[in-house]
Amino acid sequence: MRTEPLEQAMSAGVVFGPMNERDIPEVFEIERASFTAPWSEAMLLAELDNPVCISTVARLDVKTIGYIFARLIIDEGHIMDVAVHPEFRGRGIGPELIKGSIGQLVTMGCRTMFLEVRSSNMTARKMYTELGFEVIGRRNGYYRMPDDDAVVMTKRCG
Ligand SMILES: CC(C)(COP(=O)(O)OP(=O)(O)OC[C@H]1O[C@@H](n2cnc3c(N)ncnc32)[C@H](O)[C@@H]1OP(=O)(O)O)[C@@H](O)C(=O)NCCC(=O)NCCS
C-alpha cells in the first residue's frame, strides 16, 4: 500500500520512517527478543509486501530500535505487530509508533482501530488504554507458548 513517508524527529534523536527490506534483519532480532512465538523473517517480509499493510520503523542513528505493522481493511485498522528493542523501552517509542500509524491510517480512511493483546501483557494493555483503546472482548485460548487468552481492544478514530 502506498503511503506518505512518515518522517518525524524526536528530541531524543529517534527518527520514524517507512520500513524497507534492509530493516528486516534488525526487525527480526527485536521480534525474537520480544515474543515467545516470533514471526519468521519470511513472515515479516510478506507483511512488508502486503498491499493492505503499512509499516514504520524507529531508528536511532543507523540502528533500528522499534517497528510496527498495521493493516487497513476497508475502514478498519488492525495493529498486527509492534515491538521496541528491550534496551530502548520506556522512552515512549511504542506509543509514538502506534500514534503515527493510526494517523497514517486515518488519512487513508480508517474509522476504527482493532488489536489483540495477550491478557497477561499488562505493559502493552496499559499502553493501549492510555492511547484510548477500550476492551471489547476476549478470545479464549488464542495464544500458545504459553497458553493465554487474547484481549480484543478498539478505538474510534475517524
Ligand atoms: C509494549 C511495548 C511496545 C511498549 O513500548 P515502549 O516504547 O517501551 O512504551 P513506553 O515507553 O510507553 O513504556 C511502556 C511501559 O513500559 C514499562 N517500562 C519502562 N521502562 C522499561 C524498560 N526499560 N524495559 C521494559 N519496560 C519498561 C513501563 O511500565 C512503561 O509504562 P509507564 O511509562 O507508564 O511507566 C514494549 O514494551 C515491547 O516491545 N514489548 C514487547 C512486545 C509487545 O508486547 N508488543 C505488544 C504486543 S500487543
Side-chain angles (χ1 to χ4, degrees), residues 26 58-66 85 87-88:
E26 283 179 291
R59 295 190 185 90
L60 187 60
D61 300 324
V62 293
K63 186 178 171 61
T64 302
I65 59 169
H85 188 292
E87 290 173 17
F88 294 91

Side-chain angles (χ1 to χ4, degrees), residues 40-135:
S40 66
E41 283 194 70
M43 290 165 72
L44 294 166
L45 265 173
E47 193 66 12
L48 181 63
D49 288 340
N50 186 330
V52 300
C53 175
I54 62 165
S55 49
T56 301
V57 289
R59 295 190 185 90
L60 187 60
D61 300 324
V62 293
K63 186 178 171 61
T64 302
I65 59 169
Y67 61 90
I68 186 166
F69 291 97
R71 292 182 185 175
L72 182 66
I73 314 288
I74 318 289
D75 60 356
E76 291 184 0
H78 296 256
I79 294 176
M80 304 301 297
D81 192 6
V82 56
V84 174
H85 188 292
E87 290 173 17
F88 294 91
R89 290 179 189 163
R91 304 183 189 189
I93 295 167
E96 286 302 319
L97 284 164
I98 293 161
K99 284 187 281 186
S101 292
I102 294 174
Q104 275 184 283
L105 292 176
V106 165
T107 66
M108 297 157 68
C110 179
R111 296 173 62 85
T112 315
M113 290 297 303
F114 292 90
L115 62 86
E116 278 123 6
V117 56
R118 277 184 182 270
S119 66
S120 59
N121 190 348
M122 296 315 293
T123 301
R125 288 179 61 177
K126 177 169 175 275
M127 173 184 70
Y128 292 130
T129 300
E130 287 173 0
L131 288 169
F133 284 82
E134 293 175 343
V135 175

